[in-house]
Amino acid sequence: MKVRLGLDIGGTTVHGIAVAAEEPHHVVTEETHPTRKGGDGVVGGSLDMVAALRSALPPDAEIVSIGLGVPGIVNAGAVTHAVNLGLDGDPLDLAALVSAGADGVPTSVENDVKAATLGGLQWLREQGSDIDDLALLNVGTGIAAGLLLDGRLRHGSRGMAGEIGHLVHDPTGPLCPCGRRGCLELYASGSGVRRQWAGTAAELFEAAEAGDADATRIRDELTSGIAQAITLLAYSVDVSCVLVTGGVVSATPALREAILARLRADENTSLGRLAGIAERVRWLPAGHPAGALGAALLGAGDEEVRSWRS
């Protein structure tokens, strides 16, 4: 048996899976460990996860690749600006360090949202879709997108393709930690809700329905912000599908309905009808391991990813 390992390294937990190296890439085993911070912690925690997954595999299993998804800027396997992992200084050559500690198994590292885009594409394949242009919009603590165009992940000239959370949504809005005012992330994210509301997004919608003025304002900002992000992705790169994921939307059906209603309202114009943005939106099921699955599929390479279209 040949398998690929995928690690989705978050600020709190590391989710690791082993999947069959060949289609349909079914999950063989999985583990969840607490995240360890700092350079040594991230490398050591990754190797501990590799060892745990290896020990759970059949004795004849061969690990052909390891992939890691991390919340930071990634360039040629090195990670910078992963503040939630305690990495905000010199680049950490995570790919080389993990490979060296894992008996030389080829190792790839990718930004976590970009990696999850590959996992989202695999889910769409399983649903019978044959698209090759996809934006995965992750609405979690922040908001960011991964772009897969013509079967290839788009990184951009500086690795920042899809980093839309710090586009300005309201120039008169509050100061963002990035230094700008009114960034999209301050409204259309879990942290944006928590900045203004003590409860969950579901409780926010309930309070708004009951007539709470503050809840209504925050609900409308959240809805319009996510709808704007979807519209931006649809208009800028004209993807066939915007696949939306993240706890904020997965746990709140009323939010999903409100986003679609906002997008359909834009179809009152001729351009809006032509764009048909609402019909492009899909919701990744709650609990789907897109991050870890996509990390595992990093080792498959672009040629295999593009072959999923056929």
Side-chain angles (χ1 to χ4, degrees), residues 91-115:
L92 176 70
D93 197 348
L94 188 57
L97 292 167
V98 170
S99 180
D103 302 321
V105 175
T107 301
S108 303
V109 179
E110 184 56 271
N111 168 267
D112 57 348
V113 178
K114 291 180 175 64

Side-chain angles (χ1 to χ4, degrees), residues 113-182:
V113 178
K114 291 180 175 64
T117 304
L118 293 179
L121 180 66
Q122 178 69 6
W123 177 76
L124 288 168
R125 292 276 87 79
E126 294 167 0
Q127 310 309 305
S129 174
D130 61 354
I131 68 166
D132 57 4
D133 285 334
L134 164 70
L136 180 134
L137 180 65
N138 184 61
V139 187
T141 301
I143 184 169
L147 299 172
L148 191 132
L149 306 176
D150 294 327
R152 289 182 182 272
L153 280 175
R154 174 64 181 171
H155 294 87
S157 63
R158 302 194 179 188
M160 298 183 69
E163 296 291 340
I164 62 174
H166 294 288
L167 294 175
V168 174
H169 180 64
D170 178 3
T172 66
L175 186 66
C176 179
C178 80
R180 294 184 178 90
R181 285 194 174 275

Side-chain angles (χ1 to χ4, degrees), residues 9 21 27 34 47 53 62 76 100-101 103 122 148 155 181 184-185 188 192 198 205 212 235 245 249 267 279 285 297:
I9 304 176
V27 176
L47 291 173
L53 292 169
E62 176 188 357
D103 302 321
Q122 178 69 6
L148 191 132
H155 294 87
R181 285 194 174 275
L184 184 61
E185 187 167 289
F205 270 74
D212 185 302
Y235 276 123
T245 186
V249 292
E267 295 175 8
E279 66 189 37
L297 295 177

Side-chain angles (χ1 to χ4, degrees), residues 78-96:
V79 184
T80 56
H81 300 292
V83 179
N84 289 340
L85 300 181
L87 305 175
D88 197 24
D90 295 333
L92 176 70
D93 197 348
L94 188 57

Side-chain angles (χ1 to χ4, degrees), residues 1-22:
M1 175 191 294
K2 293 184 177 182
V3 299
R4 303 186 188 280
L5 304 188
L7 280 62
D8 182 16
I9 304 176
T12 304
T13 61
V14 180
H15 182 205
I17 63 173
V19 302
E22 306 299 331

